[in-house]
């Protein structure tokens, strides 16, 4: 299954599930990253830096490690 970090720039996907339950997953849920939500990848920084996504008309940046634990379904 693809992860959020694998998504191409300006492509949309639906969040399916999370690989691991960590302290950061509750933080991501609080930001609105939950199953069934549509996200768009805006920017991917080089060398494993954070990515920027659009979620419900808000732009947020998340770490590469967090993006790799989010499973997506391509839209």
């Amino acid at each position: 299954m693809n992860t959020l970090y694998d998504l191409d720039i300006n492509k949309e996907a639906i969040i399916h599930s999370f690989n691991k339950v960590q302290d950061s997953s509750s933080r991501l849920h609080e930001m609105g990253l939950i199953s069934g939500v549509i996200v768009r990848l805006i920017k991917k920084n080089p060398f494993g830096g954070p990515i920027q996504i659009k979620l419900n008309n808000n732009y947020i940046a998340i770490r590469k490690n967090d993006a790799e634990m989010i499973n997506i379904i391509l839209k």
Side-chain angles (χ1 to χ4, degrees), residues 23-42:
D23 294 334
S24 60
S25 65
S26 62
R27 179 181 52 85
L28 295 173
H29 290 333
E30 290 173 359
M31 289 192 293
L33 289 165
I34 56 175
S35 297
V37 174
I38 298 171
V39 295
R40 178 187 297 253
L41 182 65
I42 302 299

Side-chain angles (χ1 to χ4, degrees), residues 18-34 60-70:
F18 291 80
N19 285 339
K20 307 174 217 166
V21 176
Q22 297 176 337
D23 294 334
S24 60
S25 65
S26 62
R27 179 181 52 85
L28 295 173
H29 290 333
E30 290 173 359
M31 289 192 293
L33 289 165
I34 56 175
I60 61 173
I62 61 173
R63 296 180 289 211
K64 178 184 176 185
N65 294 342
D66 292 338
E68 288 177 333
M69 76 175 199
I70 300 172

Side-chain angles (χ1 to χ4, degrees), residues 13 15 19 23 36 39 43 46 53-54 57 59 65 67 71-72:
I15 295 177
N19 285 339
D23 294 334
V39 295
K43 184 178 180 182
I53 58 173
K54 183 176 182 183
N57 293 327
Y59 295 91
N65 294 342
N71 296 322
I72 59 168

Side-chain angles (χ1 to χ4, degrees), residues 6-12 40-44:
D6 299 330
L7 190 63
D8 293 328
I9 294 174
N10 274 338
K11 299 291 182 187
E12 289 186 339
R40 178 187 297 253
L41 182 65
I42 302 299
K43 184 178 180 182
K44 192 182 286 189

